[in-house]
Amino acid sequence: MDETGTRTRDAVDDFLDQWAALRSDLDLEAMGAVGRLLRLTRLVDKEVGRYFAEHGMERWEFDVLATLRRSDRPLTPKELAASVMVSSAALTNRIDRLTARGLVVREAVPDDRRSLHVTLTDAGRALVDDTVEGHVRNERRMLARLDEKDCEELNRLLRTLVITLEGDA
C-alpha cells in the first residue's frame, strides 16, 4: 500500500515475484502485461455481465441489438455475424432467441428471395436505447481511477496491440 492506503500491488505481482526468483531470464514485463490483460478481461466481463443481467439481458443480446442499432439499417446475417464475431450457426441461434423475445425480425430482401435482413423491432430499439447510456456509465465507473489523458493513452496502447494481433491472425 502507498501512503494513502491505496493498493499498489496485485495478484500478478505475486506470481511475477515467484518467477523472478526462479527464472531471471524470463521477460516478466510481457508476462505481467498479458497476465493483467487476461485478469482484466475476466473482471470486466463479470461487471458488464452483471449490468446486463440487472436489465434482463445477456451480453451477447446487447451485442447483437447494439450492432443493429448503430448500423442504423437492416443487416444480413453474414454482416451481423462478422460484426459480432460469431459463427453463422451461433448467430442463427441468437437471432432465433431474439426473434422469440420480439426484439428482432427477419425480413426477405426485396428482389432476392434467397437473402434475409435482420431488423430491430420497436421493442428491440427501445431496449438498446434504454440500456446503452447505463452501459457507458458502467464502463466509465470501471475506469474511474483513470483520468481522461490516462484513458486516451490506454486506448492508444490497446489499439496498437489489437491491430498487431489481428494482423497475426
Side-chain angles (χ1 to χ4, degrees):
M1 301 243 180
D2 67 11
E3 63 278 353
T4 67
T6 303
R7 271 182 44 195
T8 57
R9 291 180 52 85
D10 62 12
V12 175
D13 287 315
D14 294 337
F15 77 68
L16 293 176
D17 290 347
Q18 293 169 334
W19 277 117
L22 295 171
R23 297 282 308 272
S24 62
D25 61 310
L26 294 174
D27 181 356
L28 298 179
E29 286 299 316
M31 182 183 278
V34 172
R36 286 185 177 95
L37 285 170
L38 292 171
R39 189 166 178 81
L40 273 171
T41 298
R42 287 191 299 275
L43 293 168
V44 168
D45 191 52
K46 181 179 174 183
E47 290 296 314
V48 169
R50 184 182 337 222
Y51 171 78
F52 287 123
E54 290 170 1
H55 291 84
M57 301 174 74
E58 294 185 44
R59 196 180 85 211
W60 68 262
E61 291 174 304
F62 181 81
D63 288 345
V64 172
L65 297 173
T67 298
L68 288 166
R69 180 67 172 114
R70 63 175 193 270
S71 297
D72 203 30
R73 66 178 178 84
L75 297 176
T76 66
K78 184 176 181 178
E79 291 171 321
L80 196 50
S83 184
V84 297
M85 297 181 286
V86 297
S87 70
S88 59
L91 183 66
T92 297
N93 178 271
R94 291 174 182 193
I95 293 170
D96 288 346
R97 291 172 66 184
L98 292 169
T99 299
R101 287 190 58 191
L103 301 173
V104 301
V105 293
R106 290 180 176 97
E107 300 173 324
V109 174
D111 302 325
D112 185 354
R113 293 179 17 206
R114 295 173 298 154
S115 296
L116 294 172
H117 277 147
V118 180
T119 305
L120 282 174
T121 63
D122 290 342
R125 180 181 302 266
L127 183 59
V128 171
D129 287 346
D130 288 346
T131 55
V132 70
E133 289 178 25
H135 174 51
V136 171
R137 280 192 306 274
N138 187 44
E139 290 174 325
R140 187 68 201 123
R141 178 193 59 80
M142 287 185 269
L143 299 176
R145 295 202 59 192
L146 303 178
D147 64 24
E148 186 176 341
K149 186 176 178 183
D150 290 338
C151 282
E152 289 172 2
E153 180 66 5
L154 178 61
N155 268 308
R156 186 189 68 74
L157 294 168
L158 292 172
R159 182 182 304 108
T160 299
L161 288 174
V162 168
I163 290 169
T164 300
L165 293 174
E166 283 179 340
D168 292 344

